[in-house]
Amino acid sequence: MAGATAGRTYSGPVLFAFVRHDSPWPMTARPILIDTDPGQDDAVAILLALASPELDVTAITAVAGNVPLPLTSANARKVCELAGRPDIAVHAGCDRPIRQPLVTAEHVHGKTGLDGADLRAPEMPLQEKGGVEAIIDLAREVEGLTICALGPLTNVATALTRAPDIASKIREIVLMGGAYFEVGNITPAAEFNIFVDPDAAKMVFASGCKITVLPLDVTHKVLVTPGRIAAFREMETRIGDAIADWTGFFERFDKEKYGSDGAPLHDPCVIGYLLWPELFSGRHINVEIETASELTRGMTVADWWGVTDRPANATFIGDVDAEAFFLRMTDRLTRL
Ligand code: BDR
Ligand code: CA
């Protein structure tokens, strides 16, 4: 598969000769960079991307979020090794938000961030280049790079601030974050990724980049129910077992908190959106980020009904066909 190899520089989009079921023509794999804070749901998103020939994972950049940076950068490498892809370049990015002290989520993800499945310590090296530099370099080198942002937006915002020229080079930023009707999961007003670094989010939403948002409104429909966990187990692979163990671990938190059938599988929605956009629907609207108020810090003020004349700056996804998404995702993950 195409992609960045540890120790060598990625030099542009690579043609991947696969044929879609519905198309007789070979397609070009879409180059993506995954910025992430694994997290069990981040891990499933990485695996889904690595299982998908339509996507070319040029690099992974880790950021502090669910757990501190040393853990997220180790977890990203553990997941690559689980997928049999030690060649993926993993870079460590920012270890704290731009202005706020770091808030983590061990209460959801466990002490390691990947509690539930016992993965061995990674052997593949962390790249010497930092995560912010990797984003800047790849945005300049790779034509049409898409950034998949699965954690607080610190790395992405810092890259855009240090190298404003990359805003016009990045094809799209697809991010998990924010909420509208579902409001907050870390405070009554805010979703975790945006809450942790609202200043970074504000910069990203003001960057002029094409932005697509997968908020809680979508991810709270994508629940890992007992039946869906059983389907992962029935894959009868190390990867299926790891996913079943991870999702089995973190669903306890959401079941207790929300009384739902299972935990939301947030971050895979970003990759699912790139693979199967027809399963998702939303609106192109204005989204602003609250950074000043203590009460509503990190709130995504999404003008869903167009009640202001502020210009649209993001596509805010509102709905998903969760059943089709799970069927396709499970099928895809069996390929790894
Ligand atoms: C987001 O926060 C993290 O806990 C998850 O990995 C996801 O990115 C959901 O609010
Ligand atoms: Ca995440």
Side-chain angles (χ1 to χ4, degrees):
M1 173 171 307
T5 304
R8 81 166 166 80
T9 309
Y10 182 87
S11 58
V14 176
L15 267 185
F16 188 87
F18 74 92
V19 177
R20 273 171 51 149
H21 295 307
D22 57 351
S23 162
W25 307 109
M27 308 265 303
T28 305
R30 178 170 178 164
I32 66 170
L33 178 149
I34 301 178
D35 187 70
T36 177
D37 62 337
Q40 294 90 347
D41 59 322
D42 302 70
V44 179
I46 293 168
L47 292 170
L48 180 59
L50 293 176
S52 298
E54 301 93 329
L55 302 176
D56 173 15
V57 181
T58 62
I60 295 178
T61 51
V63 67
N66 286 323
V67 285
L69 185 66
L71 287 172
T72 58
S73 49
N75 289 348
R77 287 177 289 146
K78 285 183 186 176
V79 175
C80 290
E81 288 185 356
L82 176 67
R85 293 299 305 277
D87 57 303
I88 299 284
V90 176
H91 306 259
C94 299
D95 65 358
R96 74 195 67 174
I98 289 172
R99 203 163 52 98
Q100 304 280 355
L102 177 64
V103 174
T104 51
E106 286 87 354
H107 59 294
V108 181
H109 300 275
K111 209 161 39 69
T112 65
L114 281 187
D115 279 19
D118 221 3
L119 300 185
R120 56 161 202 258
E123 284 171 14
M124 62 188 275
L126 198 53
Q127 298 294 300
E128 273 175 30
K129 188 186 281 186
V132 172
E133 291 70 27
I135 293 173
I136 294 171
D137 289 352
L138 285 166
R140 286 176 176 159
E141 287 164 17
V142 178
E143 208 189 316
L145 184 70
T146 293
I147 295 181
C148 300
L150 312 181
L153 289 160
T154 322
N155 287 345
V156 181
T158 307
L160 284 162
T161 308
R162 277 194 208 155
D165 64 288
I166 65 172
S168 61
K169 299 188 167 73
I170 292 168
R171 172 169 166 186
E172 187 174 359
I173 298 172
V174 184
L175 66 96
M176 190 281 133
Y180 178 56
F181 293 107
E182 286 280 326
V183 200
N185 63 354
I186 183 79
T187 72
E191 178 280 328
F192 179 78
N193 288 341
I194 307 293
F195 175 80
V196 171
D197 200 341
D199 302 288
K202 195 180 181 80
M203 289 175 194
V204 169
F205 279 86
S207 67
C209 290
K210 180 177 179 197
I211 294 172
T212 300
V213 184
L214 281 300
L216 294 180
D217 306 82
V218 172
T219 67
H220 279 188
K221 292 179 177 145
V222 179
L223 300 178
V224 274
T225 58
R228 288 168 178 166
I229 295 179
F232 292 134
R233 189 77 67 195
E234 281 158 20
M235 285 162 56
E236 292 187 344
T237 63
R238 267 186 75 212
I239 286 167
D241 282 344
I243 297 174
D245 291 342
W246 284 329
T247 51
F249 174 85
F250 80 74
E251 72 158 6
R252 94 223 172 277
F253 172 80
D254 291 85
K255 272 179 154 169
E256 279 164 26
K257 186 166 175 189
Y258 302 107
S260 56
D261 285 350
L265 207 48
H266 304 282
D267 295 334
C269 291
V270 166
I271 306 300
Y273 172 77
L274 290 177
L275 293 171
W276 309 298
E278 67 279 9
L279 300 183
F280 297 81
S281 59
R283 294 185 185 183
H284 193 55
I285 61 170
N286 176 267
V287 181
E288 303 292 337
I289 309 296
E290 176 59 56
T291 55
S293 155
E294 221 175 281
L295 196 59
T296 58
R297 158 183 160 192
M299 186 171 190
T300 41
V301 182
D303 189 6
W304 184 259
W305 298 109
V307 293
T308 73
D309 53 11
R310 292 195 285 259
N313 58 351
T315 298
F316 205 78
I317 303 297
D319 205 3
V320 58
D321 180 343
E323 191 53 32
F325 176 64
F326 264 97
L327 287 173
R328 292 187 195 190
M329 177 170 63
T330 310
D331 174 64
R332 188 55 70 91
L333 287 164
T334 57
R335 297 187 189 189
L336 269 180

